Amino acid sequence: MGKALIIGCGGVASVTIHKCVQNSEVFEEICIASRTKSKCDDLKAKLDGGKTKITTAQVDANNVDELIALIEEVKPDIVMNLALPYQDLTIMDACLATKTHYLDTANYEPEDTAKFEYKWQWDYRERFEKAGITALLGSGFDPGVTGVFSAYALKHHFDEIEYIDILDCNGGDHGYPFATNFNPEINIREVSANGRYWENGKWIETEPMEIKRVYNFPEVGEKDMYLLYHEELESLAVNIPGIKRIRFFMTFGQSYLTHLKCLENVGMTSIEPIEYEGKQIIPLQFLKAVLPDPASLGPRTVGKTNIGCIFKGKKDGKEKTYYVYNVCDHQECYKEVGSQAISYTTGVPAMIGAMMIMNGTWSKPGVYNIEEFDPDPFMDALNKWGLPWQEDHNPELVDNEPVKKLDPEYVR
Ligand code: NDP
């Protein structure tokens, strides 16, 4: 059917590329382009021989002219941005200049401030619409599938959704005292930022990790989880009409939190440059260099993830609750594509999102978050491509009590 240009060749991209090759009817040709071309070549060597034709290229995705030249040479139907959030705008600019569809899995972040906001990308709406091309924002798991779950719940189970709790549980164990499951720099920026949730038309800000709950996750068991700000809250607060409250919780083990706190306390998570032996370095980037590469966690991670959404609202005048979630096994993912479940749960929806655009299932020019499209074909594709979902019409709810202060061990 068509050709995709995939930018980035890290943990997430590697899964997406495996999945594109499995889906060769849609992805007849892919070009893998990244900063380090040797990684693209290694992956190509592993996957060559199937029906999908694979080429590779070197590109600096911070450079719009380089991107335009590459897109003009490859002539893809879509550019899949699986590099880092810092590159979103340059890649969107290149897509505009070449009238090519765009997809990503994380919203733009300026490198010097940990801000997670859609405003920069939403500003492209009119230009994409005029150019007749689509930008699909946030086609990973969260954001991504969580938005599809929300659109699906609204379409099939509710007249009105009042409350959404997004629960992201990683019950996996990689055996290291401290490592991050995806890009350490992006991960630590996310979890060390203030928490925030949407309630009654406004944002309520919390200290990082201030709100803790315990939840008994299907197939994983009881875990501590903490309220974080997560980017899909911003778009869902706009796109789910009448929503009263939306929160996001992620599980963390005590060892992770203790290490993170210690690293924070000594200044290692800072993104302010410091001078070291006459050279400017950013502590968080240095930390990334000494931490295990998330891609290396695959063989040693055991256990399961469970990510989903709990909805509360009304159907036919009656109160109703509904939980939809996916459970993914780290070792099963590793057997299939050589990656752990965090990369898998992000990489598969990126492939599906691109397929929706390439085969015309989702076709509207402009810049859209994933919940703005018909969820049904995406939900079917999740079942088909390795992320089957399950439903519970009477789930345990996350309580509403006022803020519970953090465990004393997590000393600020
Ligand atoms: P990695 O660090 O493993 O991979 C990033 C890749 O991008 C690397 O191949 C890197 O190249 C490449 N890259 C970085 N900068 C440039 C540049 N200037 N030009 C070209 N290529 C570049 O990250 P992950 O795979 O873990 O994460 C990828 C994305 O997925 C991130 O944006 C992350 O936020 C997002 N994500 C989304 C989730 C979701 O559910 N929505 C969940 C998890 C992640 P090099 O090899 O040279 O370093």
Side-chain angles (χ1 to χ4, degrees), residues 63-358:
N63 184 322
V64 180
D65 292 336
E66 259 187 50
L67 286 165
I68 292 175
L70 178 65
I71 297 172
E72 281 174 347
E73 189 195 320
V74 175
K75 298 192 175 41
D77 300 294
I78 187 166
V79 176
M80 300 169 73
N81 169 14
L82 304 178
L84 296 178
Y86 317 132
Q87 279 91 44
D88 288 7
L89 302 188
T90 45
I91 300 177
M92 287 178 84
D93 284 334
C95 282
L96 263 179
T98 54
K99 293 199 178 2
T100 314
H101 298 307
Y102 168 90
L103 169 149
D104 65 30
T105 67
N107 68 11
Y108 172 69
E109 260 180 75
E111 224 160 324
D112 54 357
T113 29
K115 278 221 183 267
F116 309 93
E117 285 179 18
Y118 277 115
K119 72 164 192 276
W120 290 284
Q121 292 181 275
W122 286 347
D123 276 352
Y124 282 71
R125 279 175 178 148
E126 222 184 289
R127 282 175 280 164
F128 267 68
E129 206 180 319
K130 275 199 187 129
I133 51 172
T134 303
L136 175 58
L137 306 185
S139 191
F141 206 105
D142 43 341
V145 176
T146 50
V148 175
F149 283 169
S150 301
Y152 182 80
L154 188 59
K155 183 171 172 184
H156 296 284
H157 294 288
F158 291 91
D159 296 324
E160 194 186 342
I161 295 178
E162 293 168 320
Y163 301 100
I164 306 177
D165 279 326
I166 301 171
L167 309 192
D168 179 333
C169 163
N170 181 8
D173 182 8
H174 45 58
Y176 286 119
F178 186 80
T180 64
N181 296 297
F182 68 97
N183 185 290
E185 192 184 333
I186 306 296
N187 180 253
I188 291 172
R189 280 164 75 112
E190 184 175 280
V191 302
S192 53
N194 279 351
R196 210 181 336 153
Y197 63 99
W198 175 261
E199 189 163 47
N200 296 326
K202 58 180 192 297
W203 292 106
I204 317 265
E205 191 146 309
T206 72
E207 292 289 311
M209 309 285 179
E210 184 179 345
I211 300 186
K212 175 188 170 184
R213 295 287 186 273
V214 178
Y215 195 81
N216 192 7
F217 288 91
E219 295 186 46
V220 175
E222 230 171 56
K223 292 276 170 202
D224 294 346
M225 60 182 194
Y226 298 85
L227 185 142
L228 294 187
Y229 178 67
H230 222 242
E231 61 197 58
E232 67 265 50
L233 302 186
E234 184 183 9
S235 69
L236 289 170
V238 175
N239 291 327
I240 303 294
I243 187 86
K244 289 190 177 142
R245 189 189 64 213
I246 169 161
R247 305 181 291 188
F248 181 99
F249 291 90
M250 190 178 271
T251 62
F252 295 102
Q254 199 55 54
S255 171
Y256 179 95
L257 292 180
T258 309
H259 280 78
L260 183 63
K261 195 70 237 166
C262 173
L263 291 165
E264 251 171 46
N265 283 344
V266 297
M268 280 306 297
T269 59
S270 167
I271 57 175
E272 291 296 321
I274 56 155
E275 187 153 316
Y276 177 72
E277 293 191 344
K279 225 181 144 209
Q280 292 273 309
I281 64 165
I282 293 172
L284 182 56
Q285 286 177 1
F286 178 75
L287 177 62
K288 174 179 186 266
V290 296
L291 285 175
D293 177 1
S296 71
L297 301 178
R300 41 188 300 148
T301 307
V302 294
K304 291 178 180 178
T305 60
N306 176 329
I307 319 175
C309 306
I310 302 175
F311 302 95
K312 194 163 173 245
K314 293 206 178 75
K315 180 79 179 170
D316 302 327
K318 285 196 204 115
E319 295 247 319
K320 187 177 170 179
T321 59
Y322 173 65
Y323 185 17
V324 55
Y325 59 90
N326 162 263
V327 174
C328 203
D329 185 296
H330 285 288
Q331 279 299 303
E332 292 297 318
C333 298
Y334 186 70
K335 267 187 238 151
E336 186 196 323
V337 299
S339 302
Q340 32 82 356
I342 305 299
S343 303
Y344 191 91
T345 51
T346 311
V348 172
M351 180 282 284
I352 296 173
M355 171 172 74
M356 293 291 128
I357 291 176
M358 284 168 74

